[in-house]
Amino acid sequence: MAFLESNTTGTGREFCGAARARGLRPVLLAKDPARYPYVAEDAVEVRVLDTSDPAAVSQALDGLAADGGLAGVTSSSEYFIASAARAAARLGLPGPDADAVSACRAKDVQRARHRAAGVPVPRHRAVTDAEAAVDAALFLGGPVVLKPVSGSGSAGVRLCRDARETRAWAQRLLADGTNPRILVEEAVSGPEFSVETFDGAVIAVVAKHVGPAPYFVETGHDVPAATSAATVRALGATALRALAALGLGWGAAHTELRWSAGGPVVIEVNPRLAGGMIPVAVRAALGVDLVDAVVAGAAGLASAPPVPGAGYAAVRFVRARHEGRVTAVRGLAAAAAAPGVLSARATTEAGREVRITHSFQDRLACVVAEAPEPQQAARRALAAADLIEIAMDTLPAPHASRERAPVR
């Protein structure tokens, strides 16, 4: 089972474990395997190559196919989902439609297809310079959200309240060099949710907790969302409409929405399994193993039937409060031993330099807890997260925390 690159955090490690549990031999194709500490710890077989080069990827996969056969190709990294889909199609292996995935990765293309299909999305404009961003904000009126047209994990996403903030943030994003165009869209108010789907069926509606404006860094998740049945149905139906408009439906998808005054509004569709430990929480709460389902689907195998779950699960993150160098990570064992806790892990270690990027990279540790009712799961996760301490030295003055567009 070939994996084209991997998540650096979250469930990336679990994909290889799921493959082994299915009797498959996981092989990671990576440009820099050292980015994934679990590879050495779990003795995962690796092929080192330029994974951005389709010819190099094809050659490596052909070699694996000739060496005992290749069951499937997939990726847990959003940036390589489309490449994995194209490789799978070339080899006649299961996978999503690569063109649909590629179109989905461009947020402006995704927005246009949704609007054409009548799917509720924010009003928006795609621009290529800062002054055009200011013009778009004036046209849309009120606060706007600026974001790269491609990206994930809230990287580069910011609420801008006036022309000065819009111009400054647009300049930062465009100066990054990886953002040829950016999206300017109206800010939608209301609670945030995600809908987790697999093969066109709704698996879970998740309530999302987001940090303070002007950024949108996720601070936790509740599975399933403790909201009305009518709200759950409306969110699920809107997510399925959004997938259909993009030509998606095979395998996993993670659709983010806001519940506005007028009902559900699609913020974005991600043609992949959710990050942020949501699959672990779904498995705990509902007994559905989405990681295994992705691996099984890519290998042409049937998904495992659900097993009884705890009912509810919650994820809470420990975030960096300032920039610095990590001197110690304490409290992980205590957090892991706390009532209802399934997982307590750090995504940093002593010696690491921490920068505030206002993205998922600011999350330094996380806890997943389960319980038979939602408030108890949330309390358990938060209490355990409070036991984790990330000790840091303050960086010298030239490196003091400052607002920046994160480098992905």
Side-chain angles (χ1 to χ4, degrees):
M1 183 76 193
F3 296 100
L4 188 57
E5 295 291 352
S6 171
N7 280 356
T8 52
T9 60
T11 52
R13 182 178 206 158
E14 295 199 9
F15 277 73
C16 290
R20 281 176 168 159
R22 286 276 181 171
L24 302 169
R25 176 168 58 101
V27 180
L28 177 69
L29 277 57
K31 186 173 184 178
D32 179 14
R35 296 180 65 229
Y36 316 119
Y38 74 83
V39 170
E41 294 168 6
D42 297 349
V44 175
E45 190 175 338
V46 176
R47 297 288 188 276
V48 179
L49 64 144
D50 182 358
T51 48
S52 65
D53 180 359
V57 171
S58 293
Q59 182 178 6
L61 293 174
D62 288 345
L64 290 173
D67 180 22
L70 186 60
V73 183
T74 190
S75 178
S76 61
S77 168
E78 178 165 327
Y79 299 99
F80 290 89
I81 291 287
S83 297
R86 293 192 193 284
R90 183 184 69 84
L91 293 165
L93 297 169
D97 183 282
D99 291 337
V101 171
S102 294
C104 188
R105 289 279 299 123
K107 292 181 174 64
D108 53 343
V109 174
Q110 184 182 132
R111 284 275 189 271
R113 293 190 179 182
H114 281 153
R115 186 166 290 279
V119 176
V121 294
R123 295 182 303 130
H124 62 280
R125 281 187 178 180
V127 301
T128 57
D129 64 78
E131 292 310 312
V134 173
D135 290 342
L138 292 173
F139 172 79
L140 295 171
V144 293
V145 176
L146 268 62
K147 61 179 67 171
V149 297
S150 63
S152 64
S154 302
V157 183
R158 190 190 195 280
L159 179 73
C160 297
R161 302 177 183 88
D162 54 34
R164 180 188 62 80
E165 289 185 356
T166 300
R167 181 180 293 105
W169 196 246
Q171 288 172 341
R172 286 177 182 272
L173 289 176
L174 293 165
D176 178 278
T178 62
N179 302 310
R181 63 193 190 280
I182 58 177
L183 203 61
V184 183
E185 62 185 34
E186 66 175 331
V188 178
S189 298
E192 186 168 341
F193 299 89
S194 69
V195 177
E196 312 308 324
T197 55
F198 192 83
D199 282 353
V202 174
I203 304 300
V205 172
V206 179
K208 304 172 81 65
H209 300 271
V210 181
Y215 303 102
F216 298 87
V217 181
E218 294 172 358
T219 60
H221 314 291
D222 296 328
V223 181
T227 188
S228 71
T231 298
V232 168
R233 285 194 299 270
L235 289 165
T238 303
L240 293 180
R241 287 175 58 202
L243 292 176
L246 296 169
L248 295 170
W250 187 95
H254 168 69
T255 303
E256 298 175 352
L257 309 95
R258 288 247 182 193
W259 188 272
S260 73
V265 176
V266 174
I267 301 302
E268 65 181 54
V269 173
N270 300 280
R272 55 165 172 81
L273 196 62
M277 300 298 284
I278 289 175
V280 174
V282 169
R283 183 171 61 217
L286 306 177
V288 179
D289 191 337
L290 287 171
V291 174
D292 173 73
V294 169
V295 171
L301 304 173
S303 296
V307 299
Y312 294 90
V315 182
R316 293 297 184 268
F317 298 102
V318 178
R319 293 172 293 150
R321 303 298 180 183
H322 60 84
E323 296 188 342
R325 183 168 283 104
V326 177
T327 57
V329 178
R330 306 186 183 101
L332 280 177
V341 171
L342 301 170
S343 174
R345 63 177 70 171
T347 54
T348 191
E349 60 186 2
R352 290 270 182 90
E353 192 173 280
V354 173
R355 301 288 187 180
I356 300 297
T357 65
H358 305 294
S359 75
F360 75 99
Q361 296 172 10
D362 296 347
R363 303 188 308 217
L364 305 182
C366 71
V367 169
V368 183
E370 66 179 10
E373 57 92 15
Q375 292 79 17
Q376 185 181 30
R379 287 195 300 270
R380 285 175 167 179
L382 184 59
D386 285 343
L387 297 174
I388 301 173
E389 178 192 2
I390 310 295
M392 289 196 298
D393 285 338
T394 303
L395 291 174
H399 299 288
S401 178
R402 57 190 181 278
E403 185 175 69
R404 72 185 80 214
V407 176
R408 295 186 299 281

